[in-house]
Amino acid sequence: MKIKDVEFKNNILLAPMAGMADRAFRELCIGFSAGGAVTEMVSAKGLTMGDKKSGELLYSGETDAPISAQIFGDDPQVMVQAAIKCLEYNPSMIDINMGCPAPKVTSNGGGATLMKNPALAGEIIKAVSSAVDIPVTVKMRIGWDEENINAIQLAEIAEKNGADGIAIHGRTRVQMYSGNVDYNTIAEIKKAVGIPVIANGDITDEQSAAIMLEKTNCDGIMIGRGALGNPWIFRKINAYLNECRVLPDPGINEKMTVMLKHIKKIVEYKGEYTGMREARHHAGYYTKGLRGSASYRREMSSLEKYEQLEELAHKIAKENE
């Protein structure tokens, strides 16, 4: 897959997830054959005002896969300033968030709210794509609600105003993450535009990835929640799609080894105090479905030291052999 002049090793990408798809997780997923990744969404206003945390979200370090910097906001000029600021972190692309359903984002005019104002959305896309010399993409949903499914119109507006690619989550904003993904609308978007279209939503294994690609004919897929506690999903999907191989699920020892590697990176990048508190969420996903998982999650909720997690990981591995 290629978006403008950015070439991907494969077309299975990690989606942006606030509070989850940080540098440590992006690096981990790329190590498991994700073809690229998108940063956590960054407030354009916060970034332009010099907010330290906003800048930290964009830092990616050394990686051999394309990283897209995602920004959100509703003011074209502020979005331009933010996009230019993003260039300091050497992203491969700029992604404009027009799909986030979170009330704290939509109530301020950003995210999926922009789907209710296609003219403003087009103005933002045109302004940003004119201001930077790297590809600009847009992530959106199929519409605000069932009565206002306008993603095809917005995709055409995006292409007309300079977008180089589109990622589409197959639900409305009102649906949030419930209900079924709308394959048909994603397929219609792919037919309507000439730029790459990446499909997103409910991709949790090899079969759902293959179904998404078959039903939508999209250029690629983007995996979000399906990768949490499951970074090897990229390796498995690539093997299935490209080599017709079904790789076995990792054993408990590999799961715990990967979990510890992941959390160690978080601690390295953010310090133990912040890292271990964020690690509690990730660690819970790694133990999902195991015997005693509820008990393990309770133990994780009070973890403060990396050594405590190491001890718990050994206990989990022993009890689930």
Side-chain angles (χ1 to χ4, degrees):
M1 186 176 69
K2 197 172 183 181
I3 295 181
K4 202 174 180 179
D5 57 349
V6 174
E7 195 160 351
F8 298 82
K9 289 184 177 180
N10 62 69
N11 61 348
I12 319 297
L13 313 180
L14 175 66
M17 291 179 285
M20 302 302 277
D22 61 3
R23 177 187 174 187
F25 193 56
R26 294 195 298 271
E27 289 179 348
L28 183 68
C29 291
I30 288 168
F32 276 103
S33 299
V38 186
T39 68
E40 300 170 81
M41 63 178 181
V42 175
S43 164
K45 186 178 293 184
L47 187 61
T48 56
M49 293 177 68
D51 177 62
K52 183 180 177 182
K53 186 176 180 181
S54 295
E56 290 173 349
L57 294 175
L58 294 169
Y59 189 76
S60 287
E62 297 295 327
T63 175
D64 63 351
I67 303 292
S68 184
Q70 188 184 77
I71 53 176
F72 74 92
D74 65 340
D75 183 314
Q77 289 311 307
V78 174
M79 290 288 279
V80 165
Q81 293 172 35
I84 293 172
K85 187 74 174 175
C86 284
L87 298 180
E88 297 176 13
Y89 300 88
N90 298 313
S92 303
M93 299 177 288
I94 301 291
D95 187 63
I96 300 173
N97 185 312
M98 296 189 178
C100 179
K104 68 178 181 180
V105 174
T106 58
S107 62
N108 289 311
T113 299
L114 286 169
M115 298 199 72
K116 298 167 72 173
N117 191 342
L120 176 59
E123 188 180 343
I124 289 172
I125 295 165
K126 184 174 184 179
V128 172
S129 62
S130 299
V132 297
D133 58 1
I134 60 175
V136 173
T137 59
V138 179
K139 192 169 193 295
M140 65 177 78
R141 288 190 165 230
I142 60 172
W144 182 262
D145 55 30
E146 289 297 322
E147 287 70 46
N148 295 280
I149 295 179
N150 65 337
I152 298 172
Q153 175 198 11
L154 188 58
E156 292 173 335
I157 288 173
E159 181 178 32
K160 181 180 178 181
N161 284 281
D164 299 295
I166 295 167
I168 175 77
H169 183 112
R171 290 184 174 88
T172 65
R173 185 271 171 183
V174 170
Q175 282 180 288
M176 298 293 280
Y177 298 100
S178 65
N180 298 318
V181 165
D182 184 345
Y183 297 111
N184 293 332
T185 298
I186 300 176
E188 289 302 314
I189 292 169
K190 172 58 185 170
K191 291 177 183 177
V193 298
I195 54 179
V197 177
I198 299 166
N200 173 227
D202 286 358
I203 300 170
T204 57
D205 54 24
E206 302 95 321
Q207 290 73 31
S208 55
I211 289 170
M212 177 67 85
L213 287 168
E214 182 179 353
K215 288 192 173 185
T216 66
N217 197 35
C218 279
D219 301 276
I221 56 177
M222 188 172 276
I223 303 171
R225 292 171 297 155
L228 296 176
N230 185 29
W232 37 81
I233 188 173
F234 299 97
R235 180 176 65 186
K236 294 183 70 176
I237 290 174
N238 274 299
Y240 184 78
L241 295 178
N242 300 323
E243 303 168 27
C244 297
R245 290 194 300 140
V246 177
L247 298 181
D249 290 328
I252 188 61
N253 288 317
E254 182 181 356
K255 281 188 176 183
M256 292 300 99
T257 298
V258 171
M259 178 186 75
L260 289 172
K261 177 183 177 182
H262 180 184
I263 305 309
K264 190 173 185 178
K265 278 293 183 182
I266 296 177
V267 170
E268 177 185 337
Y269 295 149
K270 301 181 181 182
E272 191 164 52
Y273 180 85
T274 299
M276 287 309 299
R277 279 153 181 77
E278 293 189 7
R280 297 169 185 173
H281 303 291
H282 286 286
Y285 282 103
Y286 283 102
T287 58
K288 187 176 181 181
L290 297 178
R291 293 193 306 273
S293 59
S295 174
Y296 300 145
R297 285 195 294 274
R298 284 193 295 271
E299 290 189 61
M300 289 169 183
S301 67
S302 60
L303 292 177
E304 295 185 351
K305 300 289 184 180
Y306 179 75
E307 289 75 15
Q308 293 175 307
L309 181 63
E310 285 184 308
E311 292 177 7
L312 180 57
H314 293 315
K315 172 185 171 182
I316 293 170
K318 186 175 180 180
E319 293 180 351
N320 285 269
E321 285 178 339

Short mmCIF file of all heavy atoms in Angstrom, two decimals, residues 284-308:
data_model
loop_
_atom_site.label_atom_id
_atom_site.label_comp_id
_atom_site.label_asym_id
_atom_site.label_seq_id
_atom_site.Cartn_x
_atom_site.Cartn_y
_atom_site.Cartn_z
N GLY A 284 -4.33 -5.66 32.05
CA GLY A 284 -5.64 -6.30 32.13
C GLY A 284 -6.03 -6.98 30.83
O GLY A 284 -6.63 -8.06 30.83
N TYR A 285 -5.67 -6.37 29.70
CA TYR A 285 -5.98 -6.97 28.40
C TYR A 285 -5.16 -8.24 28.16
O TYR A 285 -5.65 -9.19 27.56
CB TYR A 285 -5.71 -5.96 27.27
CG TYR A 285 -6.80 -4.92 27.11
CD1 TYR A 285 -6.62 -3.62 27.60
CD2 TYR A 285 -8.01 -5.23 26.50
CE1 TYR A 285 -7.61 -2.66 27.46
CE2 TYR A 285 -9.01 -4.28 26.35
CZ TYR A 285 -8.80 -2.99 26.83
OH TYR A 285 -9.79 -2.05 26.70
N TYR A 286 -3.93 -8.26 28.62
CA TYR A 286 -3.09 -9.43 28.41
C TYR A 286 -3.59 -10.65 29.18
O TYR A 286 -3.28 -11.78 28.83
CB TYR A 286 -1.64 -9.14 28.81
CG TYR A 286 -0.88 -8.32 27.81
CD1 TYR A 286 -0.65 -6.96 28.00
CD2 TYR A 286 -0.35 -8.91 26.65
CE1 TYR A 286 0.06 -6.20 27.08
CE2 TYR A 286 0.36 -8.16 25.73
CZ TYR A 286 0.56 -6.80 25.94
OH TYR A 286 1.26 -6.06 25.02
N THR A 287 -4.36 -10.42 30.23
CA THR A 287 -4.84 -11.55 31.04
C THR A 287 -6.30 -11.88 30.76
O THR A 287 -6.86 -12.79 31.38
CB THR A 287 -4.69 -11.23 32.54
OG1 THR A 287 -5.41 -10.03 32.86
CG2 THR A 287 -3.23 -11.04 32.91
N LYS A 288 -6.90 -11.19 29.82
CA LYS A 288 -8.31 -11.44 29.49
C LYS A 288 -8.50 -12.89 29.03
O LYS A 288 -7.77 -13.40 28.19
CB LYS A 288 -8.76 -10.48 28.38
CG LYS A 288 -10.24 -10.53 28.07
CD LYS A 288 -10.60 -9.47 27.03
CE LYS A 288 -12.08 -9.49 26.72
NZ LYS A 288 -12.43 -8.48 25.68
N GLY A 289 -9.48 -13.56 29.62
CA GLY A 289 -9.79 -14.93 29.24
C GLY A 289 -9.01 -15.99 29.97
O GLY A 289 -9.29 -17.19 29.81
N LEU A 290 -8.04 -15.60 30.77
CA LEU A 290 -7.26 -16.58 31.52
C LEU A 290 -8.01 -17.01 32.78
O LEU A 290 -8.87 -16.27 33.29
CB LEU A 290 -5.90 -15.99 31.93
CG LEU A 290 -4.95 -15.59 30.81
CD1 LEU A 290 -3.68 -15.00 31.41
CD2 LEU A 290 -4.61 -16.78 29.92
N ARG A 291 -7.66 -18.18 33.28
CA ARG A 291 -8.22 -18.59 34.57
C ARG A 291 -7.75 -17.61 35.65
O ARG A 291 -6.57 -17.31 35.75
CB ARG A 291 -7.74 -20.00 34.92
CG ARG A 291 -8.28 -21.10 34.03
CD ARG A 291 -8.01 -22.49 34.65
NE ARG A 291 -6.61 -22.68 34.97
CZ ARG A 291 -5.70 -23.14 34.12
NH1 ARG A 291 -6.06 -23.43 32.87
NH2 ARG A 291 -4.43 -23.32 34.49
N GLY A 292 -8.69 -17.14 36.43
CA GLY A 292 -8.35 -16.20 37.50
C GLY A 292 -8.13 -14.78 37.04
O GLY A 292 -7.56 -13.96 37.78
N SER A 293 -8.60 -14.44 35.83
CA SER A 293 -8.32 -13.11 35.27
C SER A 293 -8.90 -11.98 36.13
O SER A 293 -8.27 -10.92 36.28
CB SER A 293 -8.87 -13.00 33.85
OG SER A 293 -10.27 -13.24 33.82
N ALA A 294 -10.07 -12.19 36.71
CA ALA A 294 -10.67 -11.14 37.55
C ALA A 294 -9.79 -10.86 38.76
O ALA A 294 -9.57 -9.70 39.14
CB ALA A 294 -12.07 -11.56 37.99
N SER A 295 -9.26 -11.92 39.34
CA SER A 295 -8.36 -11.76 40.49
C SER A 295 -7.07 -11.06 40.09
O SER A 295 -6.57 -10.19 40.82
CB SER A 295 -8.04 -13.13 41.09
OG SER A 295 -7.09 -13.04 42.11
N TYR A 296 -6.55 -11.40 38.92
CA TYR A 296 -5.32 -10.77 38.45
C TYR A 296 -5.54 -9.27 38.23
O TYR A 296 -4.68 -8.46 38.57
CB TYR A 296 -4.85 -11.40 37.14
CG TYR A 296 -4.54 -12.88 37.23
CD1 TYR A 296 -4.80 -13.73 36.16
CD2 TYR A 296 -3.99 -13.43 38.39
CE1 TYR A 296 -4.51 -15.09 36.22
CE2 TYR A 296 -3.71 -14.79 38.46
CZ TYR A 296 -3.98 -15.61 37.38
OH TYR A 296 -3.70 -16.96 37.45
N ARG A 297 -6.68 -8.91 37.66
CA ARG A 297 -6.96 -7.49 37.40
C ARG A 297 -7.05 -6.71 38.72
O ARG A 297 -6.63 -5.55 38.78
CB ARG A 297 -8.24 -7.34 36.58
CG ARG A 297 -8.07 -7.70 35.11
CD ARG A 297 -9.22 -7.19 34.27
NE ARG A 297 -10.47 -7.84 34.61
CZ ARG A 297 -10.88 -8.99 34.09
NH1 ARG A 297 -10.11 -9.61 33.20
NH2 ARG A 297 -12.04 -9.52 34.43
N ARG A 298 -7.59 -7.34 39.74
CA ARG A 298 -7.65 -6.66 41.04
C ARG A 298 -6.24 -6.41 41.58
O ARG A 298 -5.96 -5.34 42.13
CB ARG A 298 -8.47 -7.49 42.04
CG ARG A 298 -9.97 -7.41 41.83
CD ARG A 298 -10.73 -7.97 43.01
NE ARG A 298 -10.50 -9.41 43.20
CZ ARG A 298 -11.24 -10.35 42.63
NH1 ARG A 298 -12.25 -10.01 41.82
NH2 ARG A 298 -10.99 -11.63 42.84
N GLU A 299 -5.37 -7.39 41.40
CA GLU A 299 -3.99 -7.21 41.84
C GLU A 299 -3.29 -6.12 41.04
O GLU A 299 -2.52 -5.32 41.58
CB GLU A 299 -3.21 -8.53 41.72
CG GLU A 299 -3.62 -9.60 42.71
CD GLU A 299 -2.68 -10.80 42.68
OE1 GLU A 299 -1.49 -10.61 42.97
OE2 GLU A 299 -3.16 -11.91 42.35
N MET A 300 -3.58 -6.08 39.75
CA MET A 300 -2.95 -5.08 38.88
C MET A 300 -3.37 -3.66 39.22
O MET A 300 -2.62 -2.71 39.01
CB MET A 300 -3.30 -5.39 37.42
CG MET A 300 -2.61 -6.61 36.87
SD MET A 300 -3.30 -7.08 35.26
CE MET A 300 -2.36 -8.58 34.93
N SER A 301 -4.57 -3.51 39.76
CA SER A 301 -5.10 -2.16 40.03
C SER A 301 -4.30 -1.41 41.08
O SER A 301 -4.45 -0.19 41.22
CB SER A 301 -6.56 -2.26 40.47
OG SER A 301 -6.66 -2.91 41.73
N SER A 302 -3.44 -2.13 41.80
CA SER A 302 -2.65 -1.45 42.83
C SER A 302 -1.15 -1.52 42.57
O SER A 302 -0.34 -1.18 43.43
CB SER A 302 -2.96 -2.06 44.21
OG SER A 302 -2.65 -3.45 44.23
N LEU A 303 -0.76 -1.96 41.41
CA LEU A 303 0.66 -2.06 41.08
C LEU A 303 1.32 -0.69 41.03
O LEU A 303 0.79 0.25 40.44
CB LEU A 303 0.85 -2.76 39.73
CG LEU A 303 0.47 -4.24 39.64
CD1 LEU A 303 0.66 -4.73 38.21
CD2 LEU A 303 1.31 -5.08 40.60
N GLU A 304 2.49 -0.59 41.63
CA GLU A 304 3.24 0.67 41.61
C GLU A 304 4.67 0.49 41.13
O GLU A 304 5.30 1.45 40.70
CB GLU A 304 3.24 1.30 43.00
CG GLU A 304 1.85 1.72 43.48
CD GLU A 304 1.89 2.44 44.81
OE1 GLU A 304 2.98 2.47 45.43
OE2 GLU A 304 0.85 2.98 45.21
N LYS A 305 5.19 -0.74 41.20
CA LYS A 305 6.56 -1.02 40.81
C LYS A 305 6.60 -2.08 39.71
O LYS A 305 5.80 -3.02 39.72
CB LYS A 305 7.38 -1.52 42.01
CG LYS A 305 7.46 -0.54 43.18
CD LYS A 305 8.35 0.64 42.83
CE LYS A 305 8.51 1.57 44.03
NZ LYS A 305 9.37 2.74 43.70
N TYR A 306 7.55 -1.92 38.79
CA TYR A 306 7.68 -2.89 37.71
C TYR A 306 7.98 -4.28 38.26
O TYR A 306 7.49 -5.28 37.73
CB TYR A 306 8.78 -2.44 36.74
CG TYR A 306 9.00 -3.40 35.60
CD1 TYR A 306 8.09 -3.48 34.55
CD2 TYR A 306 10.11 -4.25 35.59
CE1 TYR A 306 8.28 -4.38 33.51
CE2 TYR A 306 10.31 -5.14 34.55
CZ TYR A 306 9.39 -5.20 33.51
OH TYR A 306 9.58 -6.10 32.49
N GLU A 307 8.76 -4.35 39.34
CA GLU A 307 9.10 -5.64 39.93
C GLU A 307 7.85 -6.37 40.43
O GLU A 307 7.79 -7.61 40.39
CB GLU A 307 10.08 -5.45 41.09
CG GLU A 307 11.48 -5.05 40.69
CD GLU A 307 11.58 -3.59 40.26
OE1 GLU A 307 10.63 -2.82 40.55
OE2 GLU A 307 12.60 -3.22 39.63
N GLN A 308 6.86 -5.63 40.86
CA GLN A 308 5.61 -6.25 41.29
C GLN A 308 4.91 -6.93 40.12
O GLN A 308 4.34 -8.01 40.26
CB GLN A 308 4.68 -5.19 41.91
CG GLN A 308 5.18 -4.59 43.21
CD GLN A 308 4.28 -3.46 43.69
OE1 GLN A 308 4.00 -2.52 42.95
NE2 GLN A 308 3.81 -3.56 44.92
#
